[in-house]
């Protein structure tokens, strides 16, 4: 079993070790897994994601190998994944360097999680059932039926108080029996005989294998963000330390850009957006009304200009600047205003559309007519006896097809 140096010192970023084994666990040979006798690299576990960094053979210091991922095998062996393991063999000495920025961020997120989870228990008896560390943000799932914005704010305030009080964070190792009497926030299943405890002075005591800060001030700050109802309770998204500052910076930039569009202050943005939405709703309504009026007038005009042949008024029109909803409206008006109207209308603006309609009582079948037209023009559509619509594929041939159909309904 690998000696886990990070168990005792989270700030140990440089270390020396011996290669125990080089494995090819994926079978493909695409990458290798290096096993060391001791390591400061943290493998993904307990919600915290793995460290990255480099290992260098002592005999060839120029040959830096990137540690892409660190995982823990079922038997507790720690696997250091590298893209190319050529210079590494059993028995050679190596020097390991942990990616410090990444580790520090993980320490801030993970210790911040302990503070936050304890704050939810202290204030509202809401235990944390799971912890997830993502690339941009982290989340905990709370075992609770309800979670109000006021509770979120209160937990955030307490968590930040504990952070600014710069309380000591200690690592302790105890037996299962000792742990049972300590009132841990979370007791893991009894597997190992020794438990590793993380204690935030006078605030939280919990079993955990992660890398933590040595005092809460190193967390920096804790910022709570989205909350959402999940199957087993409530999920609370949060960010700590530098990540919190980066997130707040991005939020501010986004808000500033949005506020700039309406030349207001970012705090007035909700009112501005509400006002714009209302305006656009009003405009949409008045536009719809106007289009209906235009359709009414145009229908009357078209009917007046179309001679009746065989007691039918056949209106054939193709519009380059109207959409489907308008030609539909026009077809409705035409067949409503006159009891002998047949309308064969097209919109040739993309996406092209066809609408065929006849006044109730006329003998043709618009659905069948549409199918015939689309067989020539391609595309999809259909409809009933009195009204059909379609989306033709070949726009250039629309007028010729309409003229041909007009001839059919004339006779
Ligand atoms: Zn933990």
């Amino acid at each position: 079993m690998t000696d886990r140096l990070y168990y005792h010192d989270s700030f140990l970023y440089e270390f020396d070790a011996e290669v125990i084994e080089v494995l090819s666990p994926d079978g493909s040979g695409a990458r290798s897994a290096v096993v060391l006798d001791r390591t400061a690299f943290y493998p993904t576990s307990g919600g915290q994601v793995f460290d990255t960094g480099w290992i260098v053979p002592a005999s060839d210091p120029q040959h830096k190998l990137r540690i892409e991922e660190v995982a823990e095998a079922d038997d507790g062996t720690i696997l250091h994944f590298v893209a190319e393991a050529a210079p590494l063999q059993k028995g050679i000495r190596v020097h390991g360097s942990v990616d410090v920025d990444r580790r520090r961020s993980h320490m801030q997120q993970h210790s911040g999680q302990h503070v936050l989870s304890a704050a939810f228990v202290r204030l509202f008896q809401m235990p944390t059932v799971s912890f997830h560390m993502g690339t941009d943000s982290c989340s905990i799932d709370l075992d609770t039926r309800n979670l109000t914005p006021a509770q979120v704010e209160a937990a955030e305030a307490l968590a930040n108080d504990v952070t600014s009080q710069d309380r000591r964070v200690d690592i302790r190792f105890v037996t299962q029996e000792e742990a049972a009497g300590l009132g841990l926030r979370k007791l893991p299943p009894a597997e190992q005989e020794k438990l590793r405890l993380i204690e935030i002075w006078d605030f939280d005591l919990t079993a955990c294998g992660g890398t933590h800060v040595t005092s809460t001030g190193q967390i920096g700050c804790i910022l709570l963000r989205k909350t959402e109802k999940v199957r087993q309770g409530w999920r609370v998204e949060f960010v700590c330390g530098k990540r919190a500052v980066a997130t707040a910076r991005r939020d501010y930039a986004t808000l500033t850009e949005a506020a700039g569009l309406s030349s207001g202050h970012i705090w007035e943005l909700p009112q501005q957006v509400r006002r714009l939405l209302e305006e656009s709703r009003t405009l949409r309504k008045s536009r719809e009304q106007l289009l209906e009026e235009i359709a009414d007038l145009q229908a009357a005009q078209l009917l007046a200009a179309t001679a009746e042949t065989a007691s039918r008024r056949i209106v054939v029109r193709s519009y380059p600047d109207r959409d489907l909803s308008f030609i539909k409206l026009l077809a409705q008006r035409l067949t409503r205003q006159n009891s002998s109207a047949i309308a064969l209308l097209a919109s040739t603006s993309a996406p092209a559309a066809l609408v065929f309609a006849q006044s109730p009582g006329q003998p043709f079948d618009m659905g069948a007519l549409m199918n015939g037209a689309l067989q020539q023009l391609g595309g999809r559509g259909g409809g009933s006896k009195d009204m059909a619509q379609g989306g033709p594929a070949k726009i250039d041939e629309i007028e010729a097809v309409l003229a041909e159909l007009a001839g059919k309904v004339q006779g």
Side-chain angles (χ1 to χ4, degrees), residues 34 73 76 84 100 104 109 128 151 168 172 198 206 238-239 242 253 266 281 316 319 325 328 334 347 350 353 371 409:
V34 182
E84 173 243 355
V100 178
R104 279 204 186 128
Q109 313 310 315
T128 293
Q151 287 173 322
R168 278 189 57 162
R172 278 161 64 184
I198 301 299
T206 194
F238 66 95
V239 275
K242 261 177 107 172
I266 57 168
R281 213 171 293 136
V316 184
Y319 295 90
S325 66
K328 230 165 129 177
L334 285 166
S347 153
N371 285 339
V409 293

Side-chain angles (χ1 to χ4, degrees), residues 110 113-114 208 212:
H110 197 161
Q113 180 260 314
H114 281 215
C208 176
H212 288 275

Side-chain angles (χ1 to χ4, degrees), residues 240-307:
C240 301
K242 261 177 107 172
R243 211 182 259 199
V245 175
T247 306
R249 165 69 35 210
R250 200 161 73 193
D251 289 354
Y252 182 74
T254 308
L255 286 171
T256 302
E257 191 186 336
L261 295 173
S262 56
S263 59
H265 189 271
I266 57 168
W267 291 341
E268 289 158 6
L269 208 50
Q271 293 102 292
Q272 298 269 22
V273 171
R274 228 170 276 135
R275 194 175 50 76
L276 285 171
L277 284 174
E278 253 162 50
E279 252 177 46
S280 83
R281 213 171 293 136
T282 312
L283 284 171
R284 198 165 51 232
K285 256 192 195 153
S286 86
R287 181 178 177 273
E288 274 165 19
Q289 228 162 24
L290 284 170
L291 281 173
E292 278 181 34
E293 281 172 29
I294 292 172
D296 255 338
L297 287 168
Q298 232 169 54
Q301 240 174 25
L302 284 167
L303 287 168
T306 308

